[in-house]
Amino acid sequence: MTDITTEDRPAGLAGVPLAIEPLKRRDFASDQEVRWCPGCGDYAILSTFQGVLPDLGIAKENAVVISGIGCSSRFPYYMNTYGMHSIHGRAPAIATGVAVSRPDLAVFVITGDGDALSIGGNHLIHAMRRNVNLTILMFNNRIYGLTKGQYSPTSEAGKVTKSSPMGSIDAPFNPLAVALGAGCSFVARAVDSDRKHLAQVLTAAAKHRGTSFVEMYQNCPIFNDGAFDDYKGPEANEHLIRLVDGEPVLLGADGSRGVVRDPVSGELTVADVAEVGMDHVLVHDSHRADPSLAFELAHLDDGFVVNQTPVGIFRDVERPTYDDQARAQVKLAAGDTTDQESRDAALATLLAGNDTWQV
């Protein structure tokens, strides 16, 4: 348990009450039987998330978990917090209302690649555009698992499923590129089975003030088993490009390869460090205001061929949040006073507006 005082709490949790007594993982686990398929990556994500919340120091009654529809959206049942299993794709919209009206709550959105990027795409991008202070965790298994194995918005082209027996002809979304294009102020990726790294990413996302978007590669053992095998196990470091602020972007267990900018095409590519020199290897900076470099890094996954992929925090920048500004406007409109007469006058002025006509 990490000791956190009111004074040094992170910006993303400012205003959220702290737990009176130190909490543990079991305090955030409900009494409901966890019901996912054996081997599902959701188990690891749930356990990691339950372990992160005590270290954030917040009271469990001030944490809210809101989900949409899908396998991952059973999440609120398994959390001993407030929550809502809402409707398809609308979790970001509902969470926006909660975050705006209740600054004393830490708001988490649980969604999947289908829920977030298909029917919920509009709600997702506008939550990120507005920079609402909430944390969006997107489980990406590149398949529709709950409805039994149709291709999803992140399934690779040519994917053979029940809804695409001759192979999907849809071009898949790159979730991180979508988030960056929508102006999301915190964008990250992690793998379900790497619990230590996942916990670090989730902690940073919760501490960030604004919309945090975390894509989590999550295995579906029934309908898309092994989709991320290259990113797990003893060979994982040969395929994972780990992003660490201020450090060279390297690949391989021995760091023998690095991300460089091709002098001819200008594109980011992977090269042998011994050949190009460490001075030419890109040094990661997630705090750049311009998201273009993060966007390039998001596309270093070989066009959705599972071979190499960056993980970690791509972008972490500060900008005004929608809910803070909305509450400030309400306060200004109310006259910023507790005097009822002044409040009534402020309301009357607001309703009358600045343009009047006499007939």
Side-chain angles (χ1 to χ4, degrees):
M1 174 67 191
T2 303
D3 292 330
I4 299 178
T5 64
T6 301
E7 291 72 25
D8 63 7
R9 76 178 67 186
L13 300 172
V16 181
L18 300 176
I20 298 175
E21 297 290 337
L23 300 175
K24 297 182 179 180
R25 175 189 171 278
R26 63 172 179 267
D27 295 312
F28 286 94
S30 76
D31 60 358
Q32 298 299 298
E33 178 188 0
V34 181
R35 300 183 65 183
W36 285 311
C37 300
C40 178
D42 291 3
Y43 286 99
I45 297 174
L46 173 65
S47 180
T48 304
F49 183 71
Q50 290 171 335
V52 163
L53 291 186
D55 285 339
L56 294 176
I58 59 177
K60 62 182 180 181
E61 58 269 23
N62 289 86
V64 179
V65 180
I66 299 172
S67 66
I69 297 296
C71 294
S72 63
S73 292
R74 297 183 60 83
F75 215 87
Y77 297 111
Y78 309 138
M79 295 297 303
N80 189 21
T81 63
Y82 286 104
M84 181 179 182
H85 188 179
S86 70
I87 55 178
H88 212 171
R90 274 65 174 182
I94 295 169
T96 294
V98 175
V100 171
S101 61
R102 291 291 300 273
D104 60 326
L105 301 178
V107 185
F108 300 92
V109 172
I110 305 297
T111 185
D113 46 308
D115 184 62
L117 295 170
S118 184
I119 193 170
N122 183 60
H123 300 284
L124 178 73
I125 62 173
H126 288 296
M128 296 189 291
R129 172 180 68 88
R130 292 174 173 131
N131 199 35
V132 185
N133 187 39
L134 48 84
T135 302
I136 302 172
L137 308 182
M138 195 197 82
F139 295 53
N140 185 8
N141 56 19
R142 294 183 177 172
I143 204 74
Y144 277 105
L146 184 66
T147 51
K148 307 301 183 283
Q150 300 86 357
Y151 75 94
S152 84
T154 58
S155 296
E156 64 275 17
K159 183 73 172 179
V160 176
T161 71
K162 295 175 180 178
S163 59
S164 54
M166 298 179 67
S168 169
I169 57 174
D170 276 358
F173 267 134
N174 182 322
L176 299 187
V178 172
L180 291 165
C184 193
S185 56
F186 183 101
V187 179
R189 175 190 283 148
V191 181
D192 57 2
S193 58
D194 189 345
R195 294 183 59 172
K196 181 179 179 181
H197 180 256
L198 177 59
Q200 293 171 347
V201 170
L202 294 182
T203 299
K207 290 181 176 181
H208 174 79
R209 189 155 197 86
T211 302
S212 297
F213 177 79
V214 181
E215 176 192 19
M216 299 171 292
Y217 284 160
Q218 172 255 323
N219 190 52
C220 175
I222 306 301
F223 297 108
N224 202 22
D225 193 25
F228 306 110
D229 278 357
D230 281 347
Y231 305 152
K232 304 180 181 186
E235 301 299 321
N237 285 329
E238 295 299 324
H239 303 279
L240 292 176
I241 303 171
R242 298 186 181 274
L243 303 178
V244 181
D245 256 339
E247 295 188 10
V249 183
L250 300 174
L251 174 66
D254 56 356
S256 60
R257 290 169 288 162
V259 175
V260 300
R261 190 170 296 282
D262 187 283
V264 177
S265 68
E267 297 177 352
L268 293 186
T269 186
V270 175
D272 289 331
V273 175
E275 294 182 6
V276 301
M278 186 62 77
D279 290 344
H280 289 85
V281 176
L282 178 72
V283 175
H284 186 50
D285 179 9
S286 65
H287 303 299
R288 289 169 55 108
D290 184 352
S292 58
L293 183 57
F295 189 85
E296 289 184 277
L297 287 170
H299 283 284
L300 274 179
D301 58 359
D302 292 339
F304 290 88
V305 175
V306 180
N307 184 19
Q308 62 186 37
T309 194
V311 294
I313 299 171
F314 289 69
R315 191 177 195 226
D316 183 1
V317 298
E318 295 182 5
R319 65 184 182 91
T321 66
Y322 179 88
D323 40 315
D324 286 339
Q325 294 180 97
R327 287 189 293 269
Q329 287 190 349
V330 170
K331 189 175 183 180
L332 180 63
D336 193 14
T337 177
T338 57
D339 178 64
Q340 187 61 49
E341 186 174 331
S342 298
R343 291 172 65 88
D344 290 345
L347 179 60
T349 301
L350 179 65
L351 293 175
N354 297 320
D355 297 322
T356 59
W357 294 267
Q358 189 170 11
V359 179

